[in-house]
Amino acid sequence: MTITLDSLEPALSVRQVLTLERVLAGEPEVVAGASHLDRPVRWVHVAEAADVGVMLTGGEMVLTTGVLLAGDEDKQAEYVRSLHRAEAAAVVLGLGRAFPAAPDVMRRAAERCGLPMVVLHRPFPFAELTEEVQSRLVRRKFAAVSLSEAVRTELTALITAGAPLQRLLDEVARHSACPVVVTNLAHRVLGTAGERPAVDDVLRDWERIARQAGGTEGDGWIRAELGGRGERWGRIVLCGYRGDTATGRLLADRAAEALVLHRMLGGGAACSWEEQSAQSLLTDLVSGVVPARQLLPRARAAGLPVNRRTFVPLVVRDGDPARLERLLRLLGLPGLVAELADGATAVLLSLPRDQDGGALAEHFATRLRTETGPDHTVVAAAEPRAAWDDVPTGLREAQHVADAVADSSAVLDLPPVVRLKDVHLRGLIRLLRDDPHVQSFAERELDGLLRETDEDLLSVLRTYLATGRNKSRTAQLHHVSRPALYRRLESIQVRLGVDLDDFEQAASVHIALLAHDAQQQ
């Protein structure tokens, strides 16, 4: 969209013009149309002719002494009507020889038409008013154009540098000095920017606000559509913009252009804006940096039901987020899906309180394993949470469980949904993995293997201990004969100086190996 000087709306209203110092010197009084003083003034024009309307194009503030109208009430009424037909912003009458007071005919006609009519009680050089208003309008228009180009340049540079969506929105919020919200056509919030308390105030009642923002603009709510090739897919909203409307629309238009370009260039990106929104929310929940209560407006605005719900935190290992999204839709389970890190994907289910969260998690996991195979996916879960404030703890618990079985899921007989009670010693070791004493113990116990970094023997040892020292199962999983396995186990025992047939020594090595593996993650 190309913005030209002529296409920009002015930055002054009739009300603002009347507050200018030079105008105040003329002692202005509004005698009609007082409820229409917020009309924008596009230009100032001095005109005495009765048919002045034919010379106007709309938005002008017309200045007159009425010298050609004195003594003819029909001309006075027609003068006002012609201004109304031409969509003038206001008429300003300088009192003097022609009219010592506001003529009733003009005042009544202006009131009927809704045309602001102002009289100046003191003699006033119209040239000064014209010069003042015109210079201000031109300066504001060029300032708006300059701002528009500056914003376009900055956003384009960010896109070229590969900046994420959030960085672009932060820049738009910096220029607009108000909360910025991006939504899809269903009003689901895809991104926000601005001062956190102000954004939270907007999101707290977003459903109602979104319906208002989708209608006519007002009170600084300015929107621009997002889309291309004849198809809309979202909108950006400046929420409570305090500058003039024209500049706000410029900012929204420039932001919309940049967001469309960003989405086009990121067509092959790893995740969509919807996924990025869910990822940001769930990552903040897991990290605990932001209190859960402060994230509640974001969750509600992202489309997650939060009132009188039971929340089931899940973490899926090696699960495709898109597949998980599709499965949730297929099963009719409301929730959010977001890829976290290291192959883990968080799934937060939001269920009515009369539904069995544990049973539905089992059903979800069983369907997922049916599609992907039991050796490819681990579904870890925390107990259902009835309070939103408990969700971060639940997500961290599920993540801990998923991490605890990450390296052993292929050799452990896991249930469809793995919980804290299923990880036993492995879970405890993972919690203690950063303790210096545990690290020193692991290095000391495994020194004979770690010094030569024999990954093959470490892998055999890992499987042997995880299967409960089952030699047949270990040989099968490593595709070697039993004699070959015996030789490897003998080599392991020699290097470590232990007897793996001794329960206590085997347990000590097992704990050390669990600690070593946990430290590598």
Side-chain angles (χ1 to χ4, degrees):
M1 176 179 174
T2 301
I3 305 294
T4 65
L5 182 61
D6 289 338
S7 67
L8 290 173
E9 290 187 11
L12 293 176
S13 65
V14 175
R15 190 187 308 277
Q16 290 172 319
V17 171
L18 297 181
T19 62
L20 296 178
E21 186 175 350
R22 289 188 178 182
V23 179
L24 291 174
E27 296 183 7
E29 178 189 359
V30 179
V31 297
S35 61
H36 300 277
L37 295 181
D38 291 318
R39 285 183 175 180
V41 176
R42 189 181 62 82
W43 209 243
V44 177
H45 189 68
V46 180
E48 302 289 356
D51 58 349
V52 63
V54 299
M55 297 180 284
L56 305 179
T57 57
E60 294 90 351
M61 174 179 276
V62 177
L63 312 180
T64 182
T65 62
V67 66
L68 299 182
L69 304 175
D72 192 329
E73 292 186 349
D74 290 338
K75 284 186 177 180
Q76 294 170 21
E78 178 56 27
Y79 184 85
V80 172
R81 288 194 292 267
S82 68
L83 293 179
H84 171 65
R85 289 193 297 269
E87 298 182 350
V91 57
V92 178
L93 175 65
L95 301 181
R97 286 181 299 173
F99 292 104
D104 287 339
V105 172
M106 293 182 68
R107 184 181 54 77
R108 288 195 299 269
E111 193 65 49
R112 284 194 298 270
C113 293
L115 176 71
M117 180 175 175
V118 181
V119 296
L120 300 174
H121 289 279
R122 287 195 171 206
F124 187 86
F126 283 168
E128 289 187 12
L129 174 56
T130 302
E131 179 185 6
E132 175 76 9
V133 175
Q134 310 297 51
S135 63
R136 285 176 178 267
L137 289 176
V138 170
R139 286 199 304 269
R140 296 294 286 273
K141 286 181 178 180
F142 277 112
V145 172
S146 177
L147 173 63
S148 170
E149 292 307 311
V151 171
R152 169 189 276 167
T153 300
E154 291 171 11
L155 295 181
T156 301
L158 289 174
I159 294 172
T160 303
L165 170 65
Q166 188 60 53
R167 182 68 185 85
L168 269 67
L169 295 183
D170 289 342
E171 191 67 18
V172 175
R174 184 177 70 82
H175 281 288
S176 63
C178 69
V180 175
V181 176
V182 174
T183 75
N184 61 15
L185 294 181
H187 304 306
R188 177 176 172 179
V189 175
L190 308 181
T192 63
E195 294 293 332
R196 195 73 254 167
V199 172
D200 288 344
D201 285 344
V202 169
L203 296 184
R204 195 165 286 113
D205 196 18
W206 177 250
E207 185 176 347
R208 178 185 61 81
I209 289 174
R211 288 195 297 268
Q212 293 178 350
T216 58
E217 295 177 351
D219 296 327
W221 289 77
I222 299 173
R223 69 187 186 281
E225 302 298 326
L226 304 176
R229 299 177 181 175
E231 181 180 2
R232 293 189 302 113
W233 41 261
R235 60 174 56 90
I236 182 170
V237 185
L238 306 187
C239 307
Y241 180 72
R242 295 307 175 197
D244 64 274
T245 303
T247 302
R249 287 176 182 158
L250 268 178
L251 284 172
D253 287 339
R254 285 293 178 251
E257 290 175 0
L259 296 186
V260 170
L261 179 60
H262 183 275
R263 185 163 175 132
M264 289 173 57
L265 295 179
C271 57
S272 68
W273 287 0
E274 287 83 355
E275 292 167 331
Q276 290 180 43
S277 175
Q279 183 178 40
S280 173
L281 174 60
L282 292 185
T283 299
D284 285 346
L285 279 170
V286 170
S287 70
V289 174
V290 182
R293 182 59 49 182
Q294 293 183 21
L295 296 172
L296 190 58
R298 285 172 57 188
R300 185 182 290 110
L304 185 73
V306 295
N307 294 330
R308 297 182 295 280
R309 309 291 286 191
T310 295
F311 303 99
V312 182
L314 306 173
V315 171
V316 181
R317 274 284 176 186
D318 301 321
D320 175 26
R323 182 192 295 273
L324 299 177
E325 284 270 16
R326 287 195 298 271
L327 185 56
L328 286 184
R329 289 195 296 269
L330 179 65
L331 298 178
L333 297 176
L336 294 178
V337 177
E339 189 171 6
L340 298 178
D342 301 325
T345 301
V347 180
L348 180 61
L349 303 181
S350 175
L351 308 172
R353 289 186 174 174
D354 60 352
Q355 293 186 352
D356 187 337
L360 287 173
E362 295 273 351
H363 182 49
F364 170 79
T366 301
R367 285 292 299 268
L368 181 62
R369 295 183 76 178
T370 299
E371 292 185 8
T372 61
D375 294 337
H376 293 87
T377 303
V378 172
V379 179
E383 291 303 314
R385 262 55 179 178
W388 173 258
D389 287 344
D390 295 332
V391 169
T393 303
L395 284 169
R396 287 193 290 272
E397 179 183 313
Q399 187 175 35
H400 164 67
V401 173
D403 290 343
V405 299
D407 289 335
S408 55
S409 58
V411 296
L412 293 178
D413 186 16
L414 297 174
V417 176
V418 187
R419 303 184 187 279
L420 194 59
K421 63 182 178 60
D422 300 314
V423 296
H424 306 296
L425 177 62
R426 188 177 299 275
L428 175 63
I429 293 299
R430 182 161 185 86
L431 287 175
L432 299 174
R433 64 179 177 173
D434 294 326
D435 188 293
H437 295 92
V438 174
Q439 295 173 356
S440 176
F441 169 76
E443 292 176 4
R444 184 172 63 251
E445 289 290 302
L446 301 175
D447 181 63
L449 290 179
L450 297 180
R451 257 188 292 117
E452 300 181 26
T453 61
D454 195 325
E455 291 297 332
D456 180 57
L457 291 182
L458 275 173
S459 178
V460 169
L461 176 63
R462 186 179 293 112
T463 304
Y464 179 63
L465 295 173
T467 58
R469 296 184 292 171
N470 187 319
K471 293 183 176 67
S472 297
R473 179 63 172 156
T474 302
Q476 180 184 16
L477 289 171
H478 284 271
H479 308 290
V480 298
S481 64
R482 287 176 66 91
L485 175 66
Y486 295 155
R487 289 193 294 272
R488 295 184 188 186
L489 291 176
E490 181 64 29
S491 178
I492 291 171
Q493 293 182 107
V494 169
R495 294 191 186 191
L496 296 182
V498 299
D499 179 6
L500 293 178
D501 289 330
D502 181 86
F503 175 78
E504 184 174 339
Q505 294 183 54
S508 181
V509 172
H510 193 188
I511 292 172
L513 186 58
L514 290 176
H516 169 74
D517 289 345
Q519 292 160 16
Q520 305 308 306
Q521 297 174 12

